[in-house]
């Protein structure tokens, strides 16, 4: 019963490098989300995908791109990493708009 | 912004005592949700209360919602050491977009 799986769990990048964070869910949920969490802060929405084939910007989309590869997978890409993107990134999914979200365990990303 | 804000930011109590956390938000909502986050882990959903509900229970958890005051409270009764975690409220407008989270209350249960 995996739920939401995020890879990698940890990553260190240099400024200017690119990388893709992967997320997959096995609950057949329609909607998927990417959040970031900074120290002492709640989660802030980066991008979301209401259904397969659609993506929309959240509160803090600058510097990120996303791809909803299929119903299961939703990836987050940093094209040119900056130190301000050092954070913990969480992926979540939910079945319907008024249902709770299910979260992965996060990717801890440090950019030097 | 519909942002939820929790109060207090940190709370330390003895095992067996009750813990109360409060959340305030700014605009109309469809539902309000409470999540728990253990150190280094993702968020776990605790309870969802809809805008037309005033109180909801789940085990040792009791949530109230006052839409006229735009506030909610989470009560954990008979606390246990395992309840040590950060607790977040999150509000939803009911649409496809994501939740808006507060900064959380860090709860420490002293054995």
């Amino acid at each position: 019963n995996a739920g939401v799986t995020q890879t990698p769990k940890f990553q260190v990048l240099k400024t200017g490098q690119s990388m893709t964070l992967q997320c997959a869910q096995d609950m057949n949920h329609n909607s998927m989300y990417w959040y970031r969490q900074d120290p002492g802060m709640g989660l802030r929405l980066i991008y979301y995908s209401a259904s397969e084939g659609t993506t929309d910007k959240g509160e803090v989309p600058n510097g990120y791109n996303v791809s909803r590869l299929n119903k299961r997978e939703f990836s987050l890409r940093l094209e040119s990493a900056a130190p301000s993107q050092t954070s913990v990134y969480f992926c979540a999914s939910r079945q319907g708009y008024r249902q709770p979200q299910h979260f992965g365990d996060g990717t801890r990303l440090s950019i030097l | 912004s519909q942002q939820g804000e929790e109060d207090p930011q940190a709370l330390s109590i003895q095992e067996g005592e009750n813990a109360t956390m409060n959340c305030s938000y700014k605009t109309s909502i469809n539902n309000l949700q409470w999540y728990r986050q253990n150190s280094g882990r993702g968020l776990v959903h605790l309870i969802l209360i809809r805008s037309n509900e005033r109180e909801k229970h789940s085990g040792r958890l009791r949530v109230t919602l006052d839409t006229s005051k735009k506030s909610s409270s989470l009560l954990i009764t008979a606390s246990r050491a395992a309840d040590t975690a950060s607790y977040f409220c999150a509000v939803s407008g009911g649409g496809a977009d994501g939740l808006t989270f507060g900064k959380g209350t860090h709860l420490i249960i002293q054995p």
Side-chain angles (χ1 to χ4, degrees):
Chain A
N1 191 10
V4 179
T5 303
Q6 292 184 235
T7 56
K9 295 189 185 305
F10 302 94
Q11 185 71 46
V12 178
L13 294 177
K14 294 180 179 179
T15 298
Q17 288 186 316
S18 63
M19 82 161 293
T20 300
L21 281 61
Q22 307 286 352
C23 174
Q25 52 92 9
D26 61 2
M27 297 171 282
N28 201 36
H29 286 171
N30 290 319
S31 303
M32 299 185 71
Y33 303 84
W34 277 105
Y35 295 88
R36 60 177 287 174
Q37 184 179 33
D38 298 302
M41 300 287 289
L43 279 67
R44 291 183 293 168
L45 182 66
I46 305 172
Y47 269 94
Y48 65 99
S49 171
S51 60
E52 187 178 354
T54 69
T55 61
D56 284 286
K57 295 178 180 180
E59 180 184 355
V60 288
N62 291 346
Y64 305 95
N65 286 300
V66 290
S67 295
R68 183 75 181 266
L69 304 171
N70 47 56
K71 192 170 185 178
R72 290 186 65 249
E73 298 172 288
F74 188 37
S75 63
L76 178 72
R77 183 162 177 84
L78 286 71
E79 290 291 353
S80 179
S84 61
Q85 295 177 304
T86 292
S87 189
V88 182
Y89 291 84
F90 288 98
C91 177
S93 70
R94 65 177 174 182
Q95 178 57 33
Y97 299 161
R98 300 176 183 184
Q99 299 299 313
Q101 295 189 5
H102 298 258
F103 285 82
D105 279 342
T107 294
R108 283 145 188 82
L109 182 62
S110 293
I111 299 161
L112 306 176
Chain B
S1 169
Q2 298 179 340
Q3 185 177 21
E5 293 288 346
E6 291 89 343
D7 171 58
Q9 291 186 343
L11 180 62
S12 181
I13 61 173
Q14 296 295 122
E15 196 167 17
E17 294 180 337
N18 296 341
T20 299
M21 289 158 268
N22 302 297
C23 170
S24 60
Y25 58 92
K26 296 179 181 178
T27 61
S28 61
I29 60 171
N30 174 273
N31 65 73
L32 185 145
Q33 304 175 29
W34 285 90
Y35 289 81
R36 184 187 72 231
Q37 184 179 35
N38 291 94
S39 180
R41 302 299 302 274
L43 277 71
V44 174
H45 177 257
L46 296 175
I47 200 162
L48 182 154
I49 186 165
R50 304 188 194 286
S51 59
N52 61 353
E53 298 176 310
R54 291 297 167 258
E55 189 171 310
K56 205 162 185 181
H57 297 256
S58 177
R60 294 183 296 113
L61 306 180
R62 172 178 169 253
V63 168
T64 62
L65 179 64
D66 187 335
T67 54
S68 67
K69 295 181 179 179
K70 293 186 169 54
S71 66
S72 174
S73 67
L74 170 66
L75 169 67
I76 304 173
T77 60
S79 63
R80 305 168 181 169
D83 294 329
T84 294
S86 292
Y87 292 81
F88 295 89
C89 71
V91 296
S92 171
D97 54 343
L99 299 170
T100 302
F101 286 84
K103 295 181 180 179
T105 292
H106 184 52
L107 176 65
I108 298 173
I109 309 299
Q110 306 280 2

